[in-house]
């Protein structure tokens, strides 16, 4: 691993808080979770809560339909 890769790796660890002790990471995570702050998705370049909320209506619809079908089939 060359110096640039190590520098990038250290920067990413610092950015995501992975350079902190595990207990500190856990407390930070729980604190953010209590404020519904689930972080940022680098893959989608958007906050995670926005991604969840965008897909929630479709998820609830599929859940409702599957439960309705299950109840109809059982009875």
């Amino acid at each position: 691993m060359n110096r640039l890769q190590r520098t990038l790796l250290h920067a990413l660890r610092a950015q995501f808080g992975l350079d902190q002790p595990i207990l500190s990471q856990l407390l930070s995570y729980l604190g953010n979770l209590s404020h519904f702050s689930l972080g940022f998705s680098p893959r989608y370049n958007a906050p995670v809560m926005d991604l969840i909320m965008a897909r929630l209506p479709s998820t609830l619809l599929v859940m409702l339909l599957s439960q309705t079908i299950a109840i109809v089939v059982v009875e």
Side-chain angles (χ1 to χ4, degrees):
M1 184 180 301
N2 64 29
R3 186 171 185 213
L4 180 61
Q5 289 174 327
R6 277 193 298 254
T7 305
L8 179 60
L9 183 62
H10 289 297
L12 286 173
R13 284 183 177 161
Q15 178 182 353
F16 291 109
L18 299 176
D19 58 343
Q20 302 295 319
I22 191 74
L23 184 58
S24 177
Q25 291 179 40
L26 177 63
L27 292 175
S28 176
Y29 170 74
L30 293 175
N32 289 336
L33 192 58
S34 70
H35 293 103
F36 299 106
S37 175
L38 301 177
F40 189 81
S41 171
R43 179 175 184 179
Y44 294 102
N45 197 27
V48 173
M49 184 58 86
D50 291 350
L51 296 171
I52 292 172
M53 295 308 290
R55 290 164 176 82
L56 188 61
S58 300
T59 302
L60 293 175
L61 178 63
V62 169
M63 185 181 71
L64 178 65
L65 289 174
S66 64
Q67 288 296 316
T68 304
I69 291 170
I71 289 170
V72 168
V73 168
V74 168
E75 293 181 3

